[in-house]
Amino acid sequence: IQCLPTVELADRTESEVEAILDSTIMQNKLYYFVSWSGYTPNDRAWELDANAPKLVWEFHHRYLHKQALVYALLLMELTIKGGDNVTKT
């Protein structure tokens, strides 16, 4: 998987997530493609933590197929951390 660039905004601490547009797994971590309130589409960024639980839930509820990414990531973490307890086929 190719790593996608993230965008750093100087005043990110005061920014609010407007929408979660996509999700992907990069380097065994789940990232969300976030649109920020008050910013242009050029400022959208891949974020490790969207910090918007309601929007994350709505995104995965709307795009059920994206939940597979979450489950795949959890399975990878279990395999890496506790390989002895994972059933291998």
Side-chain angles (χ1 to χ4, degrees):
I1 294 177
Q2 177 185 3
C3 291
L4 303 171
T6 59
V7 176
E8 295 295 328
L9 301 175
D11 58 349
R12 175 62 54 87
T13 55
E14 296 182 22
S15 299
E16 182 179 329
V17 175
E18 179 177 61
I20 296 175
L21 306 174
D22 201 357
S23 67
T24 191
I25 294 177
M26 295 183 286
Q27 300 174 346
N28 295 331
K29 295 179 182 173
L30 181 64
Y31 283 78
Y32 292 100
F33 193 56
V34 175
S35 175
W36 299 98
S37 296
Y39 289 91
T40 69
N42 290 336
D43 294 318
R44 293 174 178 165
W46 288 99
E47 299 290 339
L48 184 57
D49 180 11
N51 199 23
K54 182 179 177 190
L55 292 176
V56 168
W57 183 89
E58 289 173 355
F59 173 81
H60 285 292
H61 184 71
R62 185 177 306 122
Y63 302 104
L64 295 175
H65 66 283
K66 291 289 186 173
Q67 287 183 5
L69 290 175
V70 176
Y71 296 132
L73 179 62
L74 290 173
L75 181 58
M76 283 191 297
E77 287 180 359
L78 287 173
T79 303
I80 291 168
K81 291 179 183 176
D84 295 337
N85 297 327
V86 176
T87 304
K88 298 179 182 176
T89 57

